């Protein structure tokens, strides 16, 4: 495997992780503003 292929694979993995964490951060911020449970449903 060439170095450029490895670099593209690593960049794509980082991009996917960043996308998921970004979505989760937006969801957490909206959750704090709107006052709901993070993942839906009651914990009590």
């Amino acid at each position: 495997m060439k170095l450029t292929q490895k670099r593209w694979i690593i960049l794509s993995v980082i991009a996917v992780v960043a996308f998921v964490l970004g979505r989760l951060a937006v969801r957490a911020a909206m959750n704090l503003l709107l006052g709901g449970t993070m993942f839906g449903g009651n914990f009590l």
Side-chain angles (χ1 to χ4, degrees), residues 9-37:
I9 290 173
I10 291 171
L11 277 175
S12 61
V13 167
I14 290 174
V16 168
V17 169
F19 178 75
V20 170
L21 288 179
R23 293 274 309 222
L24 199 59
V26 169
R27 188 169 179 168
M30 293 299 289
N31 183 31
L32 285 174
L33 289 174
L34 297 174
T37 58

